[in-house]
Amino acid sequence: MSIVINSPLDMHLHLRDDDMLKVVAPLSATSFSGAIIMPNLIPPITTKNKLIAYRKRVIDASKDSSFNPYMTLFFKPTYSKEFLSKVKDEISAIKLYPAGITTNSEGGVSGFDIKELKNTLNAMSELNIPLAIHGETNGFVMDREAEFASIYEMLALNFPNLKIIMEHITTKESVALLDRFDNLYATITLHHLLITLDDVAGGMLQPHLFCKPIAKRPEDRASLREVAFKAHPKVMFGSDSAPHPQDKKEASFCSAGVFTAPITLQLLTELFLENSNLDNLQKFISTNAQNIYNIEVPKKEVILEERDFIVPTKYGDIVPLYAGEKIKYSIKEIIC
Ligand code: NCD
Ligand code: ZN
């Protein structure tokens, strides 16, 4: 039996830069129609020139003309309406990181003082630029996302015309927010649908499963699975595939990030066929995102089949999720 996915989209993707970009970009570009590209480079993407130059490097590395990189800027509360008007056509969203909360986020926002944020957020509302947020406080690691709920509420209430995307949600509290505020949306990763904290730290420590936000409890995963499998219209797939070199993962001070890009479609197919259906996978992985972001996407047909695929142990010097293991589905053909 062949399974067809049309124009898949990855609404949260880290492609990095330089040599690593060249390794990882084609892995997403060949099988996806587009992706929201994260701006947390060193230094982050904060100017129009950097954005345009990075977009070109992404396109050059992608080697697939039917892949659309949807670029993002790294949020700064100093962005003026004049600056945003000039950059608007080059971006699909602006990504807000709380300062120091995850990889390369040191230049992010400290404190969430509405007086400090309001000029930029009002300008984004008026210009219709979505705000994507890494929603974690600096509290106890398991509670960070739940604690951030009050900030999501404050932003949703004060900026009712701003589209706010809760990135990579991991808790039942975040799922509950979706139906409380019209302007809140969410991305969900593959790994948070698959694992809980037990998989990361319940036995021998698994550095390749360590990411921010950390995987949570079984009941949180159940809540994520419920909205994903029914393809709630306000949720979309965002892999948060976040490659780091092997020596930065298998180390003291292990970097946060799970590298899933090469196997996302195969594993999502398996998960949805076992727990939901192909129609809902199509919505979760493409249609919902097209509606939420209001984007047209390049046509691409990905055909998968039930055939074992042994996940390579490495791509360059990056170890993927389930390295060396056998998974059930393979990509058979991609038609552009
Ligand atoms: C991401 C990275 O490595 O850039 N890491 C992660 O654990 N998810 C950043 C992020 O999205 O938090
Ligand atoms: Zn991310």
Side-chain angles (χ1 to χ4, degrees):
M1 184 185 75
S2 290
I3 299 111
V4 181
I5 301 177
N6 287 300
S7 301
L9 295 170
D10 183 345
M11 304 310 279
H12 182 132
L13 179 65
H14 297 272
L15 288 181
R16 313 301 193 206
D17 212 341
D18 305 318
D19 289 348
M20 192 177 274
L21 170 66
K22 294 190 182 97
V23 173
V24 301
L27 298 171
S28 292
T30 49
S31 51
F32 281 81
S33 278
I36 292 274
I37 311 299
M38 288 296 130
N40 61 330
L41 306 185
I42 309 173
I45 306 291
T46 50
T47 67
K48 187 171 175 179
N49 284 347
K50 280 186 195 160
L51 185 93
I52 290 171
Y54 185 43
R55 181 165 191 273
K56 184 170 183 313
R57 295 199 296 282
V58 168
I59 288 172
D60 290 347
S62 297
K63 299 199 169 86
D64 191 313
S65 56
S66 63
F67 174 76
N68 209 344
Y70 300 101
M71 305 306 288
T72 61
L73 269 184
F74 188 101
F75 182 91
K76 289 280 181 192
T78 46
Y79 291 152
S80 65
K81 187 165 180 192
E82 193 195 355
F83 165 71
L84 292 174
S85 313
K86 286 188 193 137
V87 82
K88 176 183 161 19
D89 292 341
E90 307 293 337
I91 56 173
S92 296
I94 296 183
K95 176 72 189 288
L96 187 156
Y97 292 90
I101 206 66
T102 188
T103 310
N104 307 339
S105 62
E106 290 69 23
V109 170
S110 314
F112 276 79
D113 181 353
I114 199 153
K115 287 199 287 297
E116 200 193 325
L117 304 176
K118 79 171 189 313
N119 286 346
T120 304
L121 295 183
N122 279 329
M124 287 173 63
S125 286
E126 284 161 31
L127 296 167
N128 225 349
I129 303 172
L131 175 69
I133 303 186
H134 183 119
E136 290 195 285
T137 66
N138 57 6
F140 180 67
V141 70
M142 286 293 279
D143 298 334
R144 288 176 186 178
E145 188 174 309
E147 286 175 4
F148 201 87
S150 60
I151 300 174
Y152 279 134
E153 284 183 29
M154 180 272 281
L155 294 171
L157 282 171
N158 281 281
F159 304 94
N161 298 322
L162 180 65
K163 260 186 190 165
I164 300 171
I165 294 125
M166 304 185 284
E167 293 294 332
H168 43 51
I169 57 170
T170 62
T171 65
K172 54 186 182 349
E173 287 82 4
S174 300
V175 170
L177 282 179
L178 280 171
D179 291 323
R180 287 190 42 219
F181 296 94
D182 285 350
N183 56 336
L184 287 184
Y185 304 84
T187 56
I188 297 179
T189 73
L190 167 68
H191 49 282
H192 291 119
L193 291 173
L194 290 172
I195 65 169
T196 68
L197 184 59
D198 243 13
D199 298 295
V200 187
M204 290 172 92
L205 188 66
Q206 295 286 348
H208 298 292
L209 299 182
F210 171 66
C211 65
K212 299 293 177 67
I214 193 105
K216 304 287 186 317
R217 298 176 164 281
E219 54 269 35
D220 292 303
R221 180 181 59 181
S223 197
L224 298 177
R225 287 181 161 207
E226 195 191 324
V227 278
F229 292 154
K230 74 177 182 202
H232 187 300
K234 294 174 88 183
V235 304
M236 5 172 209
F237 174 62
S239 71
D240 194 15
S241 177
H244 293 275
Q246 185 173 19
D247 64 354
K248 293 275 189 296
K249 292 292 289 175
E250 297 173 10
S252 346
F253 303 101
C254 162
S255 299
V258 183
F259 180 51
T260 51
I263 48 165
T264 46
L265 291 178
Q266 299 89 318
L267 286 171
L268 280 172
T269 299
E270 180 178 343
L271 257 182
F272 272 73
L273 290 186
E274 284 175 3
N275 298 280
S276 177
N277 59 52
L278 204 53
D279 278 355
N280 284 350
L281 175 57
Q282 184 61 46
K283 290 179 192 155
F284 179 63
I285 206 164
S286 187
T287 329
N288 287 357
Q290 292 181 47
N291 294 335
I292 294 167
Y293 271 89
N294 206 6
I295 47 173
E296 301 242 336
V297 295
K299 276 209 165 46
K300 195 173 257 181
E301 218 177 84
V302 184
I303 302 165
L304 295 106
E305 61 185 343
E306 194 171 344
R307 176 170 47 88
D308 288 349
F309 176 69
I310 310 288
V311 182
T313 49
K314 279 206 216 176
Y315 291 84
D317 63 349
I318 312 151
V319 178
L321 177 69
Y322 298 157
E325 292 182 38
K326 189 161 76 181
I327 59 175
K328 262 169 106 169
Y329 286 85
S330 302
I331 294 178
K332 185 178 168 195
E333 200 184 346
I334 297 170
I335 304 168
C336 300

